[in-house]
Amino acid sequence: MDDSVRRLIFEAIEGTISPDDFEQLQSAIEQSDEVRDEYLRAVGLCEELAEIAIVHSSPELPDALPEPIPRPEAGERRGGLRWWNPGRLAVALALMLSVGAAYWFGRHNSPAPSSQMAGSSSRDVGTDEAVIAGHATLRRSVDLTWSRGTPAWREGDVLPDGQLQFDEGVAEIDFFCGATLIVEGPASLNIESDWSVQVIEGRLRANVPPAARGFVVRAPGADIVDLGTEFALEVGSGSARVEVLDGEVELRGGDLDGQHLRTGQTLALTGSSDPPQAIEGLSTIGELLRRRDDAEAQRFAQWKLSAERLAQDPRLIAYYPMALASDGRIVRNAAATGAERNGTIVGPVQHAPGRFGTASAGLDFERPGARVRTRIDGEFTAFTFVCWGRIDSLEHRYNALFMGDGYENGEPHWQIRDDGRLMFSVMVDDSQEIRHYSELEKRVVTGAGLHHVYITEPFWDITRSGQWFHLAAVYDPQARRVTQYVNGREISSEPIVDRFHTETLRIGPSEIGNWGQPFRKTPEFAVRNLNGTIDELAIFNAALASHEIETLYEEGKPRGY
């Protein structure tokens, strides 16, 4: 290691480092395992010497300093650091832990920026509360084709202010004030607030309950102020007309300002002066639900055919198509490897709708004791993990997807961090003791096992709660690379350096959706259950190529993706 970096470590511990040098040290710690290990050794030495200082300091003589520990001969080192006065190191330790470690580890573990999404966003207010920007949600949809160059939304998305445009299909939009629009394409809307929307083109049915009275639909020729009613609106090229289906509306602006329309009345807002015809053929909520169920059933049937083909892949270690599961406790391994690798439901796992709606099934791991246990013996040359999961929240620091029990040599851990980042790792040497900083205990602790966690950029935040994701992690020892994917798209690719390279891979006893650490020596266990649902999981003894991951996503994606 470069002596200049050691000097920066010494100065950080003594509290004499300059801001610029501290930034340089920060960068070195982030980029080099060697520097990070040296930094942690320095922390450990400070702790030891601080304890010596406390033991040998005289309580009766608070102003007296303990005798300094003699320095070794020039060039002599212990753990890469020179010996210093313990009293000075005790003070330096407190300063380093409160400033240096808090800065480095706090920065390292602080919530990441929200993932880049189509318009909606979230941010933290203070330290306890997150907020998101938006005025409505896309509650349901059927056969939507979003217009080129405009944001594409999925069911459950929070819709911010701005343009909403699709070429065909039907969308049900719930505004936060309580008003509901069923909009048929082609349509172009401009969402303005919780209480108003501009209609540029399209046909819609608006239902406004008493709590949303005063909701405004801005149309060519007039603003339609709903007084607690249901009305229809059609806006086309050069014309617009409104029909009150039930209740009353008030028109504001232009030549129609102040006019009221009641049940059964129809009025042309722009265009022809001839008496307008009733607006016919608009979708109702019931019709929307029927079309949606039909589309989901058709998509489910298509997926079942692809699942049957996938189960024949000889590279499969195990395959759990939970979307086909019954209400029993056995999660069937559909791969040729057979029933020995079946999973067993343990604890309060709930059977829930899968990604194809009520026709399909999934397993919900919302409660801490919920898990699926399995055992997969043997040795493998590569790993590819693939699953479909719906994430409701990431309330724990680490949220399990698939976890080896003991995390012994060659065993995998696949999980999601609370800031929406995928994490994949394989234990390299479980006999080593590795020092690291514990955010929970606010100190450096010793953990068992040499491994490296491969972490992606954030793919999830609270605005995507309840959405289904296709997640994949490829661990390829031969190519020395770990690649991770979300919805068929690569989001991370890292090399496996020599220190963290292992060619013999194992799984053994393991869990889906949780990590109970069955071999622990105390009653306590880490709470890592996934607050969400998994309805398909496949494990391959192969490093799947990018195009194979994309194909699995395309064949398995639900309606609307």
Side-chain angles (χ1 to χ4, degrees):
M1 183 191 304
D2 189 83
D3 287 341
S4 64
V5 176
R6 285 198 178 91
R7 175 183 59 79
L8 296 181
I9 294 175
F10 300 158
E11 290 178 355
I13 292 176
E14 290 187 290
T16 60
I17 192 168
S18 69
D20 289 343
D21 285 345
F22 192 75
E23 285 294 322
Q24 182 181 343
L25 177 59
Q26 164 77 22
S27 178
I29 290 174
E30 291 176 341
Q31 297 175 11
S32 170
D33 291 337
E34 182 183 13
V35 173
R36 185 158 49 251
D37 290 345
E38 184 77 0
Y39 182 84
L40 294 174
R41 281 195 292 272
V43 171
L45 180 59
C46 282
E47 288 180 321
E48 294 170 6
L49 293 182
E51 290 173 0
I52 294 172
I54 292 171
V55 169
H56 292 287
S57 295
S58 171
E60 287 77 27
L61 299 173
D63 295 330
L65 291 176
E67 290 296 319
I69 297 175
R71 292 180 179 270
E73 294 299 321
E76 184 178 346
R77 306 273 179 170
R78 176 181 174 180
L81 297 173
R82 294 183 181 274
W83 288 86
W84 297 332
N85 178 298
R88 184 180 185 186
L89 281 175
V91 175
L93 171 65
L95 179 64
M96 184 274 295
L97 288 178
S98 63
V99 179
Y103 174 85
W104 153 238
F105 290 103
R107 174 171 167 177
H108 180 69
N109 292 315
S110 61
S114 303
S115 57
Q116 297 300 314
M117 290 173 291
S120 63
S121 63
S122 69
R123 60 185 178 88
D124 287 331
V125 175
T127 58
D128 299 324
E129 186 175 17
V131 299
I132 60 178
H135 305 296
T137 61
L138 180 60
R139 185 178 184 187
R140 285 183 282 249
S141 65
V142 176
D143 299 331
L144 285 183
T145 301
W146 297 98
S147 301
R148 183 183 298 273
T150 65
W153 304 97
R154 293 177 181 164
E155 290 183 5
D157 277 351
V158 174
L159 304 177
D161 50 44
Q163 187 179 34
L164 186 76
Q165 185 173 333
F166 52 94
D167 296 332
E168 58 183 1
V170 182
E172 181 182 3
I173 302 170
D174 283 353
F175 283 78
F176 292 154
C177 68
T180 297
L181 303 183
I182 298 179
V183 186
E184 297 181 357
S188 178
L189 311 179
N190 184 34
I191 296 175
E192 297 179 336
S193 73
D194 292 11
W195 291 88
S196 66
V197 60
Q198 179 188 16
V199 179
I200 302 166
E201 179 187 15
R203 288 160 45 95
L204 64 83
R205 177 190 296 264
N207 183 280
V208 183
R213 190 171 294 154
F215 181 72
V216 178
V217 176
R218 305 191 190 281
D223 293 345
I224 305 167
V225 181
D226 199 292
L227 302 179
T229 183
E230 186 173 18
F231 68 91
L233 175 67
E234 183 176 71
V235 178
S237 177
S239 66
R241 54 180 173 150
V242 60
E243 177 184 358
V244 179
L245 304 175
D246 183 28
E248 182 180 2
V249 300
E250 177 185 356
L251 305 179
R252 294 180 184 171
D255 297 336
L256 303 173
D257 187 52
Q259 187 167 341
H260 286 240
L261 297 177
R262 295 173 175 82
T263 302
Q265 291 185 306
T266 303
L267 182 66
L269 304 179
T270 62
S272 174
S273 59
D274 295 335
Q277 300 295 315
I279 302 174
E280 298 179 346
L282 281 172
S283 298
T284 64
I285 290 178
E287 291 167 352
L288 177 64
L289 288 174
R290 283 192 295 273
R291 291 180 59 184
R292 182 174 181 263
D293 290 345
D294 289 345
E296 285 182 337
Q298 181 180 6
R299 190 72 190 94
F300 186 36
Q302 293 170 346
W303 170 79
K304 285 193 283 189
L305 295 176
S306 65
E308 291 175 2
R309 292 193 300 269
L310 177 59
Q312 305 305 312
D313 193 320
R315 301 173 297 175
L316 280 170
I317 295 171
Y319 177 40
Y320 306 103
M322 302 164 195
L324 301 172
S326 67
D327 291 336
R329 295 187 62 176
I330 299 300
V331 179
R332 187 176 70 90
N333 170 32
T337 48
E340 283 190 356
R341 294 177 180 176
N342 282 351
T344 301
I345 291 175
V346 176
V349 177
Q350 298 296 316
H351 291 270
R355 66 187 187 274
F356 303 105
T358 55
S360 64
L363 298 180
D364 190 309
F365 300 91
E366 177 185 6
R367 298 181 64 184
R371 66 202 66 216
V372 170
R373 298 279 302 158
T374 188
R375 183 185 183 104
I376 300 175
D377 294 326
E379 294 186 353
F380 311 103
T381 58
F383 282 144
T384 295
F385 285 82
V386 180
C387 84
W388 274 99
R390 190 196 73 216
I391 304 167
D392 296 330
S393 70
L394 297 176
E395 57 190 47
H396 313 307
R397 180 56 171 163
Y398 306 110
N399 305 267
L401 294 171
F402 188 95
M403 307 284 280
D405 272 2
Y407 201 31
E408 299 173 352
N409 289 347
E411 295 183 359
H413 273 187
W414 191 28
Q415 49 199 333
I416 310 172
R417 208 164 72 176
D418 59 356
D419 57 2
R421 299 170 187 261
L422 280 172
M423 305 170 61
F424 188 85
S425 59
V426 170
M427 177 58 69
V428 176
D429 185 352
D430 58 16
S431 66
Q432 293 194 34
E433 290 190 346
I434 306 298
R435 298 178 68 84
H436 65 94
Y437 184 81
S438 168
E439 184 181 14
L440 179 63
E441 300 183 40
K442 303 300 182 186
R443 66 185 182 90
V444 173
V445 298
T446 300
L450 174 67
H451 66 279
H452 180 72
V453 181
Y454 300 89
I455 303 179
T456 71
E457 289 300 309
F459 75 95
W460 186 95
D461 70 12
I462 195 63
T463 66
R464 312 190 86 176
S465 174
Q467 287 189 11
W468 287 92
F469 290 89
H470 184 258
L471 308 175
V474 178
Y475 187 87
D476 187 349
Q478 182 175 357
R480 292 179 174 252
R481 184 155 293 275
V482 175
T483 309
Q484 301 189 66
Y485 301 82
V486 173
N487 291 344
R489 181 178 61 87
E490 179 184 307
I491 64 168
S492 151
S493 182
E494 293 185 54
I496 303 173
V497 300
D498 289 346
R499 185 185 183 201
F500 300 116
H501 183 260
T502 181
E503 293 185 344
T504 302
L505 305 178
R506 305 177 179 89
I507 296 178
S510 49
E511 294 190 352
I512 301 169
N514 209 333
W515 187 41
Q517 304 162 281
F519 302 117
R520 65 189 184 279
K521 298 179 181 179
T522 65
E524 294 81 14
F525 61 90
V527 180
R528 297 197 184 184
N529 62 293
L530 176 70
N531 188 0
T533 302
I534 295 175
D535 74 352
E536 185 178 12
L537 187 144
I539 311 170
F540 295 82
N541 182 19
L544 267 62
S546 294
H547 72 272
E548 294 180 288
I549 300 294
E550 184 178 6
T551 296
L552 289 174
Y553 166 70
E554 291 294 335
E555 292 182 346
K557 67 182 181 182
R559 177 193 53 79
Y561 277 59

